[in-house]
Amino acid sequence: MSATVIFIIFILCLLIAIPVSISLGIVAVLPGVFDPSFTASANYVIRSMVGGIDSFPLLAVPMFVLSGIIMAHGQISQKLFDVFAYFLGKRTAGIPCAVIVTCLFYGAISGSAPATVAAVGSMTIPILIEMGYDKKFSTAVVAVAGGLGVIIPPSIPFIIFSMASGTSVSDLFLAGIIPGLLIGVILMIYAWFYCKKHGEDKEKIAAKIDALHEKGLWKVLKDSFWALLSPVIILGCIYSGVASPTEAAVISVFYSLIVSLFIYKSIKVKEIWSFFAEAMRTYAPILFILAASIAFSRVLTLMQVPQTVSAFILAHFSNKIVLLLVLNLFLLIVGMVMDTTPAILILTPILLPIATSIGMDPVHFGIMMVVNLAIGFVTPPIGVNLFVASSLTEVPVMEIARKALPMIVCFLIALLLITFIPGISLCLL
């Protein structure tokens, strides 16, 4: 059975709404079913699924998921927003910019784009609407800025890319800082132009910000201190060598529990079990997708698909600039129709050799790949962030997507800069 037929069957499975994990399992088994002499029998696929998820770095994923859930319920996002609104609120587009910065910081805690949208959006979208901002614009800002959650470290997709490529997780985390900040700044510039053009209700904004200022800077900083300290502790443990990314993920769980239980007192002990259950419901589907993706990627390797695709692309696109544009376009299309985890696990063995053959650093390629797939979070038909944001406001997904289009263009501008200026990703290494 040829690789082309396998991919066609995979796409058909997705089109008829078979879950991604089952679709991957089906196409991983098919070559061995139709050709008994093929190495990847059903037993091999099952062993690959079990062995593939037996990974110490992978343990960081459920820990960051759990930490993000605890911090969402612990009102950490509220504390972050208050301090940024205090400093930015009275400036043009200050409140939307405060939302974007909150997404940056919350992304440095949760490592997940949908989690960032849910936690920050549930709190900030009603505030934006109350202050007179357009409901669709408010929802779109959070949906797009939530994509920063997978670029700013710690990032779950970076952990997955590290598994697929053998690249250092710590290097990927460090390399993601400047690109994440760059995208955040470009989104804030767009928010400023939008608010200049459409205007703001200064009276409503002043009422909210004055209430914050009445508390005083010390009170606001005191309330937000432990929330602001979260990413410092998590990333500080990793970069100082005190803890590996997996150990830092465990530290983040205990930190979030201690802060939420004993300092902010925003959760109760009896609620903790429900957080564990929610984390399991979130992570279990990811785990099945991971297992099936690993098996499928190994089957593709046995079929020599990476070598075939690499040879084809290099034969038809010899110019480095054109080749990078083709890779970006391909990843953008994949991001629109496939979830981040299987996309990374399946495509990294295929595309990374192509990137390294033209002298691209694997860490730089990993950043470029994740930024591409982050754009997929806000582009139909998958667009997970769009669906999460829509569930918060009941604004139709396509209307959010239309309002988000200029911000997606900003994301694309940042992507081009990240692609063609390696120093943006590699300057901190």
Side-chain angles (χ1 to χ4, degrees):
M1 178 176 284
S2 70
T4 305
V5 174
I6 288 174
F7 277 105
I8 290 172
I9 293 172
F10 178 57
I11 292 168
L12 289 175
C13 288
L14 295 179
L15 289 175
I16 60 177
I18 295 176
V20 175
S21 56
I22 296 175
S23 300
L24 287 166
I26 291 171
V27 292
V29 170
L30 281 179
V33 170
F34 282 89
D35 182 4
S37 64
F38 186 63
T39 308
S41 63
N43 287 336
Y44 174 88
V45 171
I46 293 170
R47 287 198 304 272
S48 297
M49 292 174 71
V50 175
I53 56 176
D54 182 16
S55 165
F56 181 71
L58 187 58
L59 289 174
V61 177
M63 292 298 103
F64 280 126
V65 168
L66 177 58
S67 174
I69 288 169
I70 294 169
M71 290 189 177
H73 289 280
Q75 299 177 4
I76 301 292
S77 57
Q78 174 72 60
K79 307 295 182 182
L80 291 172
F81 176 74
D82 283 350
V83 71
F84 299 133
Y86 183 96
F87 289 107
L88 300 173
K90 290 192 174 181
R91 293 174 171 80
T92 300
I95 299 300
C97 287
V99 172
I100 294 168
V101 178
T102 302
C103 287
L104 273 168
F105 266 75
Y106 195 84
I109 298 169
S110 71
S112 165
T116 302
V117 174
V120 178
S122 59
M123 181 271 300
T124 58
I125 292 174
I127 293 174
L128 287 169
I129 296 170
E130 181 187 332
M131 291 184 182
Y133 292 97
D134 177 67
K135 188 176 184 179
K136 295 175 186 176
F137 169 74
S138 304
T139 309
V141 165
V142 175
V144 176
L148 296 169
V150 297
I151 301 168
I152 289 289
S155 161
I156 291 173
F158 284 162
I159 296 170
I160 304 302
F161 179 82
S162 172
M163 284 180 56
S165 65
T167 311
S168 164
V169 178
S170 298
D171 285 351
L172 288 165
F173 280 4
L174 201 59
I177 294 173
I178 302 301
L181 293 175
L182 172 66
I183 296 167
V185 168
I186 293 176
L187 290 176
M188 285 189 274
I189 292 170
Y190 168 75
W192 185 85
F193 277 107
Y194 178 91
C195 291
K196 271 289 186 182
K197 179 179 178 181
H198 296 277
E200 298 174 281
D201 193 326
K202 295 295 184 181
E203 290 184 9
K204 290 182 179 179
I205 294 171
K208 173 69 176 178
I209 302 306
D210 286 345
L212 275 177
H213 280 261
E214 283 176 10
K215 289 184 178 181
L217 177 59
W218 171 247
K219 181 70 164 63
V220 172
L221 286 177
K222 183 182 176 183
D223 286 346
S224 306
F225 174 76
W226 297 102
L228 292 168
L229 196 61
S230 302
V232 177
I233 289 176
I234 296 167
L235 299 178
C237 286
I238 296 171
Y239 299 136
S240 66
V242 172
S244 69
T246 302
E247 292 162 344
V250 177
I251 291 170
S252 75
V253 171
F254 282 97
Y255 180 84
S256 60
L257 271 175
I258 292 167
V259 170
S260 300
L261 274 173
F262 302 114
I263 298 175
Y264 292 144
K265 297 179 180 178
S266 47
I267 64 174
K268 295 180 173 59
V269 174
K270 64 182 181 182
E271 295 177 304
I272 295 175
W273 180 255
S274 67
F275 301 155
F276 290 158
E278 185 178 345
M280 286 301 297
R281 286 195 298 270
T282 303
Y283 180 62
I286 297 174
L287 186 63
F288 278 105
I289 291 172
L290 273 169
S293 298
I294 291 168
F296 184 44
S297 64
R298 290 183 181 178
V299 170
L300 292 179
T301 301
L302 289 173
M303 297 177 71
Q304 297 189 326
V305 172
Q307 296 90 326
T308 304
V309 174
S310 177
F312 176 83
I313 292 177
L314 291 173
H316 289 80
F317 303 101
S318 55
N319 184 280
K320 182 177 179 179
I321 294 175
V322 175
L323 183 57
L324 287 173
L325 289 173
V326 168
L327 289 177
N328 275 308
L329 181 61
F330 177 67
L331 287 169
L332 284 170
I333 294 170
V334 169
M336 292 180 185
V337 297
M338 189 183 292
D339 190 48
T340 308
T341 299
I344 292 173
L345 288 171
I346 293 169
L347 296 178
T348 298
I350 297 174
L351 301 182
L352 183 58
I354 300 172
T356 54
S357 71
I358 57 172
M360 194 174 196
D361 188 281
V363 173
H364 180 204
F365 175 75
I367 302 299
M368 185 187 84
M369 179 180 233
V370 172
V371 171
N372 268 291
L373 298 175
I375 296 172
F377 280 113
V378 284
T379 50
I382 300 298
V384 178
N385 282 14
L386 298 177
F387 286 95
V388 174
S390 178
S391 70
L392 297 174
T393 59
E394 297 183 356
V395 176
V397 168
M398 290 310 297
E399 290 188 22
I400 301 173
R402 277 194 289 270
K403 202 70 176 180
L405 187 59
M407 287 177 270
I408 295 171
V409 171
C410 292
F411 232 116
L412 290 170
I413 292 169
L415 171 62
L416 290 174
L417 292 173
I418 291 164
T419 299
F420 292 104
I421 307 177
I424 294 175
S425 302
L426 304 178
C427 62
L428 297 179
L429 298 182

